[in-house]
Structures are given as C-alpha cells and as structure tokens.
Amino acid sequence: NKVAVTTNITDLQEFMQHIITHTNMTCLNAKDDDVTSLEGSNFLAANLYARSVFGEDALVNVSVEKKEDGDGKIGGYIRIRSKTQG
C-alpha cells in the first residue's frame, strides 16, 4: 500500500512532526521523536511504528523530499505495512 504525498508544508521537520502527531505513531529513527536533525536536509526517510488496539503491528515507511521547482513543497511516498492488510 503506497500513498503519494502532496502537501503545502515546506519544512521536513514540520512535516515529520505532523505525521507523528496525527497518526499517533512512534518514530523508530529518532530518539524520543526528536526530528531536529532534519535541519538543512532536502530529503527524509523514516520508519514509524504503532500497535493497534487489536494487537496488530503497523510499520510506515516515509520517503519524501523537498521539490526544487521553486515553491519548496514536499513530495514523495508513504508505504504502510502490516501483517493483515485491511
């Protein structure tokens, strides 16, 4: 399950914090969901994890970059993985 990302957010740090907050997931790449190491970068690859109330594990792979077409918007893909796809 691959979802295309199109957003008006132009800051990778803000985008990652937005995804973590709204999905209620934990970032496996950063300590304590600290995404300050993204400053000055034009791309982001991260893994997020959550366990549902039914005990199912879900892994989300985020792969996005700042587009260099002048507006600085973020584009890329988010892939959702779980044992039961439903």
Side-chain angles (χ1 to χ4, degrees):
N1 297 343
K2 196 159 126 175
V3 179
V5 172
T6 52
T7 179
N8 291 330
I9 298 173
T10 58
D11 182 47
L12 291 173
Q13 185 175 353
E14 179 185 346
F15 175 75
M16 191 63 192
Q17 199 60 52
H18 175 79
I19 295 296
I20 290 170
T21 303
H22 286 79
T23 60
N24 201 23
M25 298 186 95
T26 302
C27 183
L28 298 176
N29 300 79
K31 294 180 182 178
D32 301 324
D33 296 334
D34 179 26
V35 291
T36 56
S37 60
L38 296 174
E39 287 199 27
S41 180
N42 288 329
F43 66 93
L44 164 68
N47 295 307
L48 305 177
Y49 169 80
R51 180 167 290 195
S52 75
V53 293
F54 305 109
E56 298 172 327
D57 295 324
L59 181 67
V60 171
N61 305 109
V62 179
S63 178
V64 294
E65 67 179 344
K66 273 189 181 181
K67 295 182 180 178
E68 294 188 14
D69 55 1
D71 59 6
K73 291 183 182 177
I74 294 174
Y77 293 95
I78 294 177
R79 175 168 250 151
I80 305 164
R81 301 172 184 262
S82 66
K83 285 189 178 182
T84 57
Q85 302 283 328

